[in-house]
Amino acid sequence: MVMEVTPTKTLIVPQLIVGLGNPENKYEQTRHNIGFEAIDALAKAWRIPISENRKFKGKFGEGVTSSGEKIRLLKPLTYMNLSGQAIRAVVDWYKLPPTSVLVIYDDMDLPLGRLRLRLSGSAGGHNGMKSTISHLGTQNFPRLRIGIGKPKSIAGTGETVSYVLGKFSSTEMQVMEQVLKWTGEAIDLSLHQGVEKAMSLYNNRSLVDNPE
C-alpha cells in the first residue's frame, strides 16, 4: 500500500519589515507616512534601535522581537517613489527572498480603521509600491495596507496629493493608534504562524463603520 504524502504548505514568515514614507520633518505624521509610524511603533515595542544606514539608503535596525524571533526593520530615506532602491540594498546584502519582505504602506481605497494583509498584488497606483515591485522584480511579496480613507470629494490630482500629505485629525489619530496596535499584533502573529494566519484574523477588523 502506497501512502499519499500531503505536501507541507510553506509558511510565509517575514524577515524584513519595511515601512514606506518620505523623509523630512514636514512629512511626519502625515497620512502618506503611516508606514514609517508603523516601523517606529514596532521598534519601540521590540526595543530595536534604528538609525541611518547609508549603505541601505534608509533608517535600519535588526534585533529580536519580544518572543525571540530575529527581525530587521527599514524606513527608506530615498523618498517614496524610490523606495525600492533601499529595499533592494537590504535584500541583496542579506540574500533574502522577496517573499520574506513585508511592506507596510497607506491605502486610500481602504477605509480608515481597517488594515489588510496580502501575500502578493499590484501597486494599486502607489508610487512606493511601484518602485518596490520594480526593484524586487516581482509582485510576490507580502504587504500590509493601512486604510487612510478618501476625502469626501476629490476634484483632481492636486487634492489627492494634499490629502495624502495632510495630517490626521485628532479623532483620526485615536483610530490610527488602535490600527497601529493591530498592525503590531498581526505582524507578531505572522512571525509565529505565517502571514496567512494573520490575514484570517485581522483583515476583517474595523474600527469605523464604513461601507466598502
Side-chain angles (χ1 to χ4, degrees):
M1 181 179 175
V2 178
M3 297 286 290
E4 278 192 28
V5 178
T6 307
T8 306
K9 196 169 188 180
T10 304
L11 288 182
I12 302 298
V13 177
Q15 296 179 56
L16 168 66
I17 302 170
V18 183
L20 301 187
N22 284 307
E24 291 190 63
N25 293 340
K26 65 181 179 180
Y27 296 112
E28 283 183 9
Q29 296 182 331
T30 58
R31 296 180 179 91
H32 214 28
N33 267 36
I34 194 64
F36 275 14
E37 298 283 331
I39 293 296
D40 287 342
L42 290 171
K44 184 178 179 182
W46 295 333
R47 297 179 183 176
I48 297 176
I50 55 174
S51 57
E52 187 167 350
N53 184 309
R54 291 187 181 181
K55 179 171 59 186
F56 296 152
K57 301 180 181 179
K59 288 190 174 179
F60 177 81
E62 62 180 324
V64 292
T65 70
S66 45
S67 305
E69 289 86 1
K70 187 173 182 181
I71 198 68
R72 302 173 183 94
L73 303 174
L74 175 68
K75 292 164 61 176
L77 296 180
T78 52
Y79 288 93
M80 188 67 83
N81 62 347
L82 298 174
S83 300
Q85 292 181 359
I87 297 171
R88 185 61 195 251
V90 179
V91 164
D92 285 351
W93 181 261
Y94 289 103
K95 298 179 172 55
L96 301 174
T99 51
S100 72
V101 181
L102 173 66
V103 182
I104 307 171
Y105 62 103
D106 60 296
D107 188 354
M108 281 181 65
D109 291 326
L110 202 58
L112 191 80
R114 296 286 301 274
L115 60 81
R116 186 157 292 160
L117 278 156
R118 286 282 182 266
L119 293 176
S120 63
S122 68
H126 193 285
N127 288 333
M129 286 302 285
K130 286 179 186 175
S131 175
T132 303
I133 289 168
S134 172
H135 281 83
L136 290 180
T138 180
Q139 296 185 355
N140 295 323
F141 57 89
R143 68 283 312 271
L144 191 157
R145 294 180 287 139
I146 296 178
I148 60 169
K150 288 180 179 175
K152 289 176 183 175
S153 63
I154 296 179
T157 306
E159 283 194 27
T160 301
V161 172
S162 63
Y163 178 75
V164 298
L165 294 182
K167 300 201 174 189
F168 292 106
S169 68
S170 56
T171 305
E172 289 173 333
M173 275 303 298
Q174 290 176 2
V175 173
M176 294 314 296
E177 281 173 15
Q178 179 58 49
V179 171
L180 286 174
K181 187 179 176 188
W182 282 352
T183 297
E185 292 172 359
I187 290 173
D188 219 23
L189 187 60
S190 296
L191 297 175
H192 283 95
Q193 300 182 43
V195 173
E196 284 187 88
K197 180 68 175 178
M199 285 166 55
S200 70
L201 291 181
Y202 286 88
N203 279 0
N204 292 320
R205 293 192 182 189
S206 178
L207 284 166
V208 180
D209 293 327
N210 270 314
E212 287 192 273

